[in-house]
Each structure stands twice: as structure tokens, then as C-alpha cells.
Amino acid sequence: MTFIRSKVVGLGSYLPSKVISNNELSRTVDTSDEWIRERTGIVQRHISETETTAEMGIKAAQNALIDAHLLSSDIDALIVATSTPDLTLPSTATLIASALKIKGFAFDISAACSGFVYGLTIADALLKTGSARRILLIGSERLSKIIDWTDRNTCVLFGDGAGAFILEASEAIGSLADEGILDTLLCADAQEYHLLHTSGGIASTGTSGVIQMNGREVFRHAVMKLEDVALEILKRHSLTGDDIDWFIPHQANARIIDSTAKRLGLSSGKVIMTVHQHANTSAASIPLAFEQAVKEKKVKKGDLILLDAMGAGLTWGAVLLRY
Ligand SMILES: CC(C)(COP(=O)(O)OP(=O)(O)OC[C@H]1O[C@@H](n2cnc3c(N)ncnc32)[C@H](O)[C@@H]1OP(=O)(O)O)[C@@H](O)C(=O)NCCC(=O)NCCS
């Protein structure tokens, strides 16, 4: 029997050109570069002045198509993970499909900062069942539009950007030596949704609202849940941190990342960290970090990689893949 794996055949990303440093932020809210660096690791964030979520996603997708040596006509399906869609309807995925002339099916998913990990899981299932042969998965976020720029508890944490993977169904033998997605593990604890949410929405207040968060509690849940999910997915395959070549987590806070890496017994040399440059770009953070690590010649074809993410919902999950 043929075994199908979802192989990553193209990577792309896009960051808006405007950069806001911690020092610049400290001129408008009561904060400091020292406080932000110490508590989060963040040094700067990219902010979109005019580009929408779809426009940033289009640029990331075009870069992924170039990387994969493919044309948009080679793509069967497009999934966009975002919490900041351009329009209430249609989906951002259909706006991007229209611009790129992609003819396959297209839809958005909403899983906040876990969006890319949820998206990889959905894409993997669609490829394995033969619903599509090549999927373009994009994480794109214009979080600057849902930030209260007067709230120092949240405005220092987030940034804008987009990242994309092209995934292709590929015949494999069904072992951990295969290239592609090897396993995924998704979780949610809806009882905790109140810890991180927007103050409004289209069907309630008629506005998007702004992000409100109990930072200390979100931090506590993130540390616990991300350690557990990372250990669980490794355990399912009798792996330990030693077997992993690279850990590419959602980039929300350097202290959360360090804590998971420590519990897995990973040295900092195996951890990809971009939160200092990008801040938290939600569903875009993993593909942005992944592509940067490949460009810097850290991550190479054939490496065993662990991804994890936690976000509003609360949602969280992990993905094990061989690049
Ligand atoms: C937000 C976060 C950085 C705060 O760090 P912390 O060490 O937990 O800080 P606390 O919440 O204990 O707040 C300590 C103090 O700093 C203050 N503070 C908050 N933001 C500040 C800022 N940007 N600058 C200066 N002081 C700030 C608080 O008002 C508080 O002051 P108080 O004690 O007088 O009330 C941290 O909780 C965190 O990263 N949480 C997870 C957030 C996250 O990643 N969310 C997205 C998940 S996908």
C-alpha cells in the first residue's frame, strides 16, 4: 500500500518595511526597551502602514512559488490562517487566490496564534485523503489593526507579517525517515477563552475590537501546555530532544521558548528564535521563523523539526516534520 506524506516543497515570507523599535514605542506608552527585552526578548516589530493581510499573504505566496519552482496553476488548494481577515467575507484565501489566479478550493481558518499548526494538520489530512495534491498554506496577520496602541500590556508584544508553505503529496515508506509531516497533535481548552480575546467582533459589537489579555495567566498556560504537547508528540514516536535537529516554536516570548527547550533538553543551538526581530506575528510566526532559518543555512533538507504553538481559544498543538 502506498503511504502519502505531505512534503514541504516551497517556503516564502514577507515583512512590511516599517520597523518600530522598543525605544520608539516608549515615546508613546509608559514602557521601556529594557522592560520589553527582559520580559519578552522582543527588540522590534514590523508594522504594515498600508498593506492588508491579503496583500502581505500574496507576497509570501509568490516567494514560496519561486522557491518551489512552481506556478500558481500548480496549486490545488489555498488555506489562510489569520485572525485579521481583510473582509468579513469572502475569505482572505479567496482574495489571494483571485490575485494569483489559483483555481483550487480556498478557505480561511481561525485558530489565533496556533493557526499555522492547525493549518498544517488540515493540509496534511487533505493531501493524505487525495482532496488536493499541492496546497499553499499561508499565515498572514495585520495585528497592528487590532491592537490598542495605548495599552502597554499588549501593544509591545505584536507585529505584522506573512509566511507561506507549499505542501505536496508525496509517496513515502511510512517511517520516521520519510520527508514531510510525520505527525501532528492539536489541543484546545475552551474554558480559558476569556484569557485572550478581542473586545468586539462583527456579530457582537459590529467592530473588530482590540486584543485584551491576562498576560500572566496566558504565560502560565503557555509554559505548561507547550511543554506537555511537545513531549507528548515526541513520546508517541519514542523520540527525545536529542533526536530533534531543530525546534521552531511559535514566536511569542523568548522566556516561553526557553522554558520548553529546557524541558525537552534542547541546547539553545537547536532553537530558532526570531521573536526579537518580528515580535509575535501570530499565525505568521512559524513560517517566518522557518524560512529565516533556511535562509541562514541553519535548517537543511532532511532535518527533523519540531514545531509548537499556543494561542487564543486557548488552542495549542505541535507538528513533527522532516524538511
Ligand atoms: C505580558 C508579559 C510579557 C508580562 O510579563 P510579566 O512578567 O508576566 O509581567 P506582569 O504581568 O507580572 O506585570 C508586571 C508589571 O509590569 C507592568 N507592565 C505590563 N506591560 C508593561 C510594559 N510594556 N512596560 C512596562 N511595564 C509593563 C504591569 O502593569 C505590571 O505592573 P504592576 O505590577 O504595577 O501591575 C507576560 O505575561 C507574557 O509574555 N505573557 C504571555 C503573552 C503572550 O505571549 N501572549 C500571546 C500568546 S500567543
Side-chain angles (χ1 to χ4, degrees), residues 234-250:
L234 292 182
K235 199 170 120 205
R236 293 209 300 210
H237 302 279
S238 307
L239 297 172
T240 69
D242 284 345
D243 301 303
I244 298 298
D245 294 307
W246 293 101
F247 175 44
I248 312 183
H250 167 51

Side-chain angles (χ1 to χ4, degrees), residues 245-267:
D245 294 307
W246 293 101
F247 175 44
I248 312 183
H250 167 51
Q251 307 284 319
N253 183 310
R255 288 189 294 146
I256 297 173
I257 295 172
D258 287 342
S259 157
T260 313
K262 196 169 160 203
R263 177 103 180 267
L264 296 177
L266 293 172
S267 68

